[in-house]
């Protein structure tokens, strides 16, 4: 089929939309009378069609043509037509679906049962039967769109059968761009999800598994992985494929027009791999040298603002300092969060949760203090850091405090107007929960941590009691005492669990109606239906909570 992947509906504005595709050959892709030439990357062909002149606040059906031939929708389809829902600048009702960690479907029945029903797949199947008024306005994928370090049987066969694969590339790791492209194809070609992504605007950010488990945990991790002879090829392919498959579509038209990397790609003649390899090298080097490439971005949804933070490649990791974001990128995030213009609700995307279960938060802070020490104690703490994935916001004190301060300022508002709610949307941790934050001064906005993970993965059963225990008051008090003795200051925020922990595949939906908001966590009941696991009204009063906890 000429259309290898897509269409994927990406950034949508008041009169504009971006439609991403991968094709089997070079050509001109057109959508609603707007065209884009494909660009080539290592033998693969892509296009991002920027559609303009659309009516605001409308839902417009569309088709995709390649050199005049219709390639989407297919001649026979069980799904409704793909549409583009343009924004209304005064819109006050929104439905935003979010989640993270999605492993592809598996053909082996035993392995498929082990992972369970894909929650996004079930959501798409249910959505196809619903009236368009109930369709979401945005889908936020908060990391681990692919599992580059957990190969499926198909990945293993692809590697084994590839002719000319360099002998120093490991048989158990994907390395090249072609292998990353194969993983995206496996994950995004599922019929239900492919249709969903063609008709709901999709925002994405990476996490470690999009590159490799524990990616950018610390300077020690980077030094160790850099000694592997194939790593340079691996990180180049991972970041280049992320830029092509995920990052490009996150950007609004004005940013794309000013993006020198994108303009160089469009102007290139022939294979653009050398340009993308250089971009990837620059992005990777930014962790130590900065600034590299900014992957954080912002979307405006009527009177809601969504700011996605890159918590992986934006890090500063040197022998003397650890920060979740470098100064330039953190300043950019601060400007977006506090930008002029009244908003009713502020959404902050962070693949890694800002607020963890209390004991886990303190454990990470204690580990960070120990890892700063010289000698064997520091080396042991670093070993624990990598073993236990102790590298969330709590393990970057300065960055945690800065984000907390930013959220507190946003919650107070400016010019006499504060948002009704601020929600930090996260994934990564393979269980779901909601927590209410209490900030100093009791600002008018209600602040929440909403974590939904996984969409299609699993957490080993032995870890579930540990994750439940992370909320235990006694263990929290014990670890807070250890943190105090280690010189870790108390966090400038307190928080209480109001739903969860919930285990199993799940998606969450944030429903906004003027100044009110509600979040619903749902797990698949069948291949085309979901059951409510928890539902909460988000307000500065008492939350109305209907949930099944620790299930």
């Amino acid at each position: 089929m000429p259309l290898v992947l897509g269409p994927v509906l990406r950034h949508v504005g008041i009169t504009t939309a971006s439609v991403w595709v991968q094709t089997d050959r070079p050509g001109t892709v057109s959508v609603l009378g707007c065209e884009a030439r494909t660009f080539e990357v290592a033998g693969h062909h892509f296009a991002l069609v920027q559609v303009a002149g659309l009516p605001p606040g409308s839902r417009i059906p569309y088709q995709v043509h390649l050199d005049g031939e219709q390639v989407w929708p297919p001649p026979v389809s069980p799904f409704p037509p793909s549409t583009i829902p343009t924004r209304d600048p005064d819109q006050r009702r929104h439905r935003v679906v979010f989640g993270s960690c999605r492993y592809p479907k598996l053909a082996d029945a035993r392995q498929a049962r082990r992972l369970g029903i894909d929650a996004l797949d079930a959501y798409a199947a249910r959505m196809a039967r619903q009236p368009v008024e109930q369709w979401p306005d945005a889908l936020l994928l908060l990391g681990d769109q692919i599992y580059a370090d957990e190969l499926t049987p198909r990945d293993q066969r692809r590697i084994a059968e590839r002719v000319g694969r360099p002998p120093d590339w490991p048989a158990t790791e994907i390395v090249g761009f072609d292998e990353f492209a194969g993983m995206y194809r496996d994950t995004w070609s599922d019929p239900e999800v492919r249709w969903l992504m063609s008709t709901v605007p999709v925002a994405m950010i990476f996490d470690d598994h999009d590159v490799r488990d524990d990616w950018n945990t610390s300077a020690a991790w980077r030094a160790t992985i850099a000694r592997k002879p194939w790593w340079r090829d691996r990180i180049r392919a991972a970041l280049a494929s992320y830029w092509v498959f995920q990052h490009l579509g996150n950007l609004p038209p004005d940013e794309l027009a000013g993006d020198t990397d994108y303009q160089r790609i469009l102007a290139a003649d022939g294979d653009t791999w050398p340009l993308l390899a250089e971009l990837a090298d620059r992005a990777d080097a930014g962790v130590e040298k900065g600034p590299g490439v900014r992957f954080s971005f912002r979307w405006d949804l009527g009177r809601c603002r969504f700011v996605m933070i890159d918590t992986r490649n934006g890090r500063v990791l040197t022998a003397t300092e650890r920060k979740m974001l470098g100064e330039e990128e953190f300043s950019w995030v601060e400007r977006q969060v506090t930008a002029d213009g009244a908003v009713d609700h502020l959404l902050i995307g962070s693949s890694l949760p800002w607020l963890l279960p209390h004991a886990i938060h303190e454990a990470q802070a204690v580990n960070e203090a120990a890892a700063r020490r010289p000698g064997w104690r520091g080396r042991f703490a670093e070993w624990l850091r990598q073993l236990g994935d102790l590298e969330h916001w709590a393990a970057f004190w300065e960055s945690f405090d800065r984000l907390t301060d930013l959220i507190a300022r946003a919650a107070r508002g400016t010019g006499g107007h504060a948002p009704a709610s601020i929600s930090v949307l996260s994934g990564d941790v393979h269980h779901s929960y909601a927590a209410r934050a209490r900030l100093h001064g009791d600002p008018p906005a209600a602040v929440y941590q909403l974590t939904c993970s996984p969409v299609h993965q699993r957490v080993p059963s032995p870890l579930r009691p540990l994750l439940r225990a992370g909320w235990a008051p006694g263990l929290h008090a014990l670890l807070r005492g250890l943190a105090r003795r280690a010189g870790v200051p108390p966090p400038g925020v307190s928080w209480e669990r109001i739903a969860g922990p919930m285990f199993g595949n799940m998606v969450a939906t944030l429903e906004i109606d003027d100044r009110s908001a509600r979040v619903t966590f749902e797990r698949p009941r069948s291949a085309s239906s979901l059951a409510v696991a928890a539902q909460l009204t988000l307000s500065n009063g008492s939350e109305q909570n209907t949930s099944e906890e620790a299930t």
Side-chain angles (χ1 to χ4, degrees), residues 214-496:
D214 298 336
W215 174 43
N216 282 346
T217 291
S218 62
W221 183 91
R222 285 175 61 84
T224 299
I225 199 72
R227 288 193 287 270
K228 297 185 181 296
W230 45 267
W231 177 247
R232 177 51 50 197
D233 292 329
R234 168 69 170 268
I235 191 63
R236 277 178 172 168
L239 290 173
S241 64
Y242 172 76
W243 189 88
V244 171
F245 285 84
Q246 298 194 50
H247 175 65
L248 267 186
N250 290 327
L251 303 182
D254 58 338
E255 289 195 37
L256 279 173
D259 190 300
T260 56
D261 290 313
Y262 182 55
Q263 298 306 320
R264 287 170 65 203
I265 293 294
L266 292 183
D269 184 19
D271 189 0
T272 63
W273 170 250
L275 296 176
L276 281 171
E278 183 274 331
L279 181 152
D281 286 346
R282 186 170 9 107
D284 183 50
V287 177
E288 297 170 352
K289 301 176 182 178
V293 178
R294 173 171 57 80
F295 291 124
S296 300
F297 61 92
R298 166 183 161 182
W299 282 19
D300 292 319
L301 310 172
R303 291 179 61 85
C304 295
R305 180 177 300 157
F306 172 61
V307 180
M308 185 81 90
I309 303 175
D310 165 19
T311 60
R312 279 292 169 184
N313 198 71
R315 296 180 178 186
V316 174
L317 300 170
T318 68
T320 57
E321 64 177 340
R322 297 184 187 185
K323 296 179 180 179
M324 189 67 83
L325 293 173
E327 177 60 37
E328 183 173 322
E329 186 147 0
F330 218 135
S331 295
W332 181 91
V333 169
E334 289 171 326
R335 290 194 299 272
Q336 307 314 305
V337 167
T338 60
D340 291 339
V343 296
D344 291 330
H345 301 271
L346 173 63
L347 313 180
I348 298 175
S350 168
S351 63
L352 305 179
W354 165 49
L355 303 177
L356 291 163
H358 297 111
I360 297 175
H361 173 96
E362 300 293 358
Q364 295 208 19
V366 170
N367 176 265
E368 174 72 1
R372 293 171 182 263
R373 301 180 65 178
W376 69 268
R377 293 180 179 86
R379 291 192 297 272
F380 180 70
E382 175 62 38
W383 175 78
L384 284 178
R385 182 186 184 98
Q386 296 185 35
L387 179 68
D389 292 340
L390 307 180
E391 37 85 42
H392 294 71
W393 285 94
F396 295 82
W397 301 344
E398 180 181 334
S399 299
F400 177 88
D401 289 342
R402 187 169 177 177
L403 179 61
T404 301
D405 178 68
L406 173 61
I407 292 172
R409 283 187 281 130
R412 289 191 292 269
T414 57
H417 181 92
S421 72
I422 299 175
S423 297
V424 180
L425 311 179
S426 304
D428 177 68
V429 290
H430 288 203
H431 69 289
S432 301
Y433 61 90
R436 171 71 189 271
R438 306 289 181 181
L439 295 159
H440 297 320
D442 195 23
V447 180
Y448 297 88
Q449 170 69 62
L450 305 176
T451 303
C452 183
S453 169
V455 168
H456 188 223
Q457 251 293 3
R458 64 184 296 273
V459 62
S461 296
L463 285 182
R464 296 187 178 192
L466 295 177
L467 294 172
R468 293 189 185 101
W471 295 103
L475 186 58
H476 177 209
L478 173 63
L479 286 164
R480 175 87 287 270
L482 291 175
R484 189 181 303 111
R485 284 194 289 274
V488 180
V493 58
S494 62
W495 60 99
E496 58 181 323

Side-chain angles (χ1 to χ4, degrees), residues 166-190:
D168 62 341
W169 287 10
T172 56
E173 301 261 5
I174 66 168
V175 178
F177 184 90
D178 182 75
E179 294 167 359
F180 274 91
M183 281 202 139
Y184 280 103
R185 186 166 62 249
D186 294 346
T187 305
W188 288 3
S189 59
D190 173 69

Side-chain angles (χ1 to χ4, degrees), residues 87 96-100 120 137-143 145 200-205 297 299 301 306-308 347-349 425 452 455 508 510:
R87 307 293 183 201
V96 177
V97 176
F98 64 96
S100 79
L120 196 61
D137 301 288
L139 170 63
L140 311 180
L141 300 178
L142 297 165
Q145 272 64 263
V200 177
V202 186
M204 309 177 189
I205 197 70
F297 61 92
W299 282 19
L301 310 172
F306 172 61
V307 180
M308 185 81 90
L347 313 180
I348 298 175
L425 311 179
C452 183
V455 168
L510 185 62

Side-chain angles (χ1 to χ4, degrees), residues 23-51:
T23 64
D24 69 348
R25 62 179 184 270
T28 298
V29 181
S30 60
V31 176
L32 295 174
C34 299
E35 297 181 343
R37 286 287 301 173
T38 58
F39 59 90
E40 180 185 350
V41 184
H44 300 268
H45 305 279
F46 308 91
L48 185 69
V49 183
Q50 297 183 63
V51 186

